[in-house]
Structures are given as structure tokens and as C-alpha cells.
Amino acid sequence: MGLRSVLRKPGIIFGGFLGLATLSIMNTAYTNVLDEIKSELILNYTWSGALMSGYFVGYTVGQIPWGILSDKYGSRKAITLSVLGISLSTLLFGYSGDIVIAVIIRFLSGLLGAGIFVPGVKLVSSWFNSEERGTALGLLNIGGSLGMIAASWAVPLLSASMSWRGSLKVMGLFGAFTALVCLFFLRDREGETSRKMSLRELPVNVPSFWYLSFIQFIRLGAYYTFIAWMPLVLREEYGLSVIATSGTMSLLNLAGTISNPAGGIVADRFGEKRVLMVGFFSLMVFILLFTLGLGNPVLYILVFLLGWFINFTRSPAFSIIPGLFGAETAGSISGINNTFASFGALVLPFLLGYVRDITSSYTIG
């Protein structure tokens, strides 16, 4: 049982891993050249935050349609089409002429990219048992962290020789290729049993449903606030160079590469509830410490710890769902929880940009 048994299904693990890696690359590529985009399109901080929020408006809207497509045609086709869609919209973002067009394309990216994670949870629920799901999701989620590390280095380096527009076009073409690889490796399980829940079946009277929804709102909202704004905070507040900023962002994502599977493995052994309680309390403490403006090397340690604990809770927040609500409805409940997560990722980055504009401070936000 555990890691060894999970690795007996390498195609499912690698295909899901690659899908989440591509999603992360496409979603965060622009944040690594936000300085250049902000200057060329003449953006204030509120509009800069709107680029991330526009994505998550589309991502939230896309949850239900992609869930329907996944139920009807299978997770394999849904994930492949979603990877292709967000990749082509990233390429299109490289042609943005003004902020309105840029936000519309970011909305399109979110809408088209919403069919990767929840169908991935559905695949894991169908292929792995309750003692393996946390570990399996953790391995898939490594892809998300490695994708962000790749974007944090590749995009600035490409931008130096071909501008931010050229770098995003290259990333988009790369993503279109990975869609074909996902199609090759992923498989839907024959005889998989899943069903859509009606509105009357939603467990709205169960406190755990709302606890998990709130946890997801905070988790993903905080995560994408870091992704969208930390590069600018590091450069404007801490005076780091472009290279130092890329290295620091790599620490954030390197931590996630380790803590994503670690959180799943620990949750399989000791229970998801304990991991979630310890993880979110620790995250609160380290966010407060980060706002104190501590210098090096404490800054680097804090960034690593932020990346560790925000990713440590990701797999348990989803692997707990089949045990609470049943494996046959895991896809539906995961989709609903992910909608709350998307709403947090929509609101919090935009809110920080707005607070930065009216207070001239990141710390208050």
C-alpha cells in the first residue's frame, strides 16, 4: 500500500502530473514578467490584480460545464481539451493590445483551464483506494509546483531575448504539445461509477461541507495572491533583482514540490483533519511574520515555509472528500469546493491590488 502501490499506475500519475504542471505554467507565466506588462500597458495595481482575478472569474464559471463534459465524455478528454485550451489562450495573451483585451483573454484562460484539476480528482478517486488517494493527489500536485518553478525561470529568460510577448507565445506552443502527451497517457477506468448530484442532494446541512469550502477559499486565495503579487513585493519592498526574485519564487514552489506529496502521505497515515488543522495554523503564523519585513536570510526561510504549508494542505483538502461524502460523488463535491477556492483566488489578489492602490502599502492587505 502507499507510494509503491500508487506508482503501479504510472500513466495516470504522469498524465495528471503533466496536466497540472502545464496549468501552472500557463496560469502564472505572466506574473514573472508583470513589471514589463504593467509598464507597456500602463497599468495601476488594481488593474494588475485584475489580470489574476479575470482568470478566476472564468475558472469559477467553467467548473460546472467542465464537470458535465467530464461526466459525459470522461476525464481523459476533458483534461486534454482543457490543457489545449489554456495553452492556446496563453499564446493569444501575447498579442494583447490593451488591458481590456488582456483581461478578456485571462478570463478565457480561466474558462478553458477549469477542466484539469477536478477531473483529475475524479480520476484519482476511481483508480485509487482510500489509503492511496492522498499520496496519488500529492504526486499529481508536484506537477503544479514544478510548473511554477519552470515558469519562474523560463519566462524571464525568454523575455530578455524576445520580450514578454514572445515568451508567452512560446509557453503557449509548449502547452499545446503537452496536451497531446496527456491524451496518450491518461485513461478513464472502465466501469467507473460516478453520478451527478442534484441540488437537493447537496450536503448543505453538514458543517464539514462549509468548513471545507471556507478552507478552500482561503487556501487557493492566499496561494494565488502569493503567485500574483510576491514577485512585485520582493522587487519593490525588498529591492531584489529579477534573478533574485526568480530564485526566491523558486523556493516557494520548491517547497510545494516536496510538501504536496508529503501532505498526502502524512494524511494517509495520520488523517486529513490533523494535517489541515496544523497546516492552516502554521500558515497563519508565517504570513504574519512575512508582513514584518524581515531581511535575509529570514526572508528566504519564510518564503519556503509559506510554500510548504500552503501546499501541505492541498491534497488532504480533497482526499478527505470521498471519506466524508462517498467516492461516487467525489467529483461533484470536489467541483463545488473548487468553486469556493476559485472565488477566493478571484477576490483576494484583486483585493490586495486595490488595498495597495489606496494605502500605498502591501502590509495592510
Side-chain angles (χ1 to χ4, degrees), residues 52 84 148 296:
M52 183 62 79
L84 179 62
M148 290 183 185
N296 304 334

Side-chain angles (χ1 to χ4, degrees), residues 21-339:
T22 306
L23 175 65
S24 291
I25 291 172
M26 300 306 135
N27 184 25
T28 64
Y30 87 93
T31 67
N32 297 285
V33 286
L34 186 56
D35 265 355
E36 290 87 341
I37 297 172
K38 187 168 172 286
S39 297
E40 183 175 328
L41 300 183
I42 315 175
L43 308 182
N44 60 20
Y45 291 94
T46 301
W47 276 111
S48 297
L51 289 174
M52 183 62 79
S53 294
Y55 171 90
F56 277 103
V57 171
Y59 194 83
T60 303
V61 171
Q63 292 296 309
I64 293 176
W66 278 110
I68 294 171
L69 288 173
S70 178
D71 287 340
K72 186 171 183 178
Y73 299 107
S75 295
R76 176 179 178 240
K77 291 180 180 178
I79 292 172
T80 300
L81 288 173
S82 189
V83 170
L84 179 62
I86 192 173
S87 300
L88 294 179
S89 61
T90 299
L91 186 153
L92 191 61
F93 186 83
Y95 293 95
S96 301
D98 57 54
I99 183 56
V100 174
I101 297 299
V103 171
I104 291 173
I105 295 174
R106 287 292 294 164
F107 169 85
L108 185 64
S109 294
L111 184 66
L112 296 176
I116 299 173
F117 185 75
V118 170
V121 173
K122 180 182 173 184
L123 267 184
V124 167
S125 297
S126 66
W127 281 101
F128 301 96
N129 63 39
S130 60
E131 296 178 352
E132 300 171 330
R133 288 173 188 142
T135 302
L137 273 176
L139 291 175
L140 263 62
N141 286 330
I142 292 175
S145 297
L146 287 180
M148 290 183 185
I149 292 174
S152 70
W153 286 101
V155 175
L157 290 174
L158 287 171
S159 178
S161 60
M162 60 178 63
S163 81
W164 68 267
R165 295 180 183 277
S167 65
L168 295 184
K169 293 172 187 177
V170 169
M171 290 295 101
L173 291 173
F174 167 78
F177 170 75
T178 66
L180 296 176
V181 180
C182 289
L183 182 65
F184 178 79
F185 280 99
L186 291 175
R187 292 290 181 272
D188 292 308
R189 189 166 190 172
E190 293 183 8
E192 175 187 352
T193 58
S194 64
R195 63 182 179 86
K196 290 180 61 182
M197 298 180 71
S198 68
L199 290 176
R200 288 181 294 180
E201 292 179 292
L202 291 177
V204 294
N205 294 323
V206 180
S208 296
F209 173 80
W210 296 108
Y211 295 155
L212 285 175
S213 297
F214 178 72
I215 283 173
Q216 295 289 14
F217 178 91
I218 297 298
R219 181 191 65 80
L220 201 65
Y223 185 60
Y224 277 102
T225 300
F226 294 153
I227 296 302
W229 289 108
M230 190 172 282
L232 275 181
V233 171
L234 293 172
R235 296 189 65 178
E236 294 182 358
E237 299 291 321
Y238 290 92
L240 300 189
S241 66
V242 173
I243 298 299
T245 297
S246 294
T248 306
M249 292 301 295
S250 294
L251 282 177
L252 181 82
N253 296 310
L254 176 62
T257 302
I258 304 169
S259 67
N260 260 315
I265 292 169
V266 172
D268 284 343
R269 184 175 179 85
F270 297 104
E272 289 94 347
K273 291 180 182 179
R274 292 179 181 177
V275 173
L276 291 173
M277 286 190 294
V278 171
F280 276 95
F281 177 79
S282 301
L283 182 63
M284 176 192 70
V285 171
F286 293 123
I287 289 175
L288 290 174
L289 289 174
F290 182 76
T291 64
L292 298 180
L294 303 174
N296 304 334
V298 177
L299 170 64
Y300 300 128
I301 295 172
L302 284 176
V303 170
F304 183 87
L305 289 172
L306 287 172
W308 179 276
F309 283 105
I310 205 163
N311 285 286
F312 193 68
T313 57
R314 185 179 186 183
S315 296
F318 284 98
S319 64
I320 196 174
I321 290 172
L324 290 175
F325 305 106
E328 71 278 5
T329 59
S332 298
I333 298 293
S334 296
I336 295 167
N337 277 178
N338 213 38
T339 300

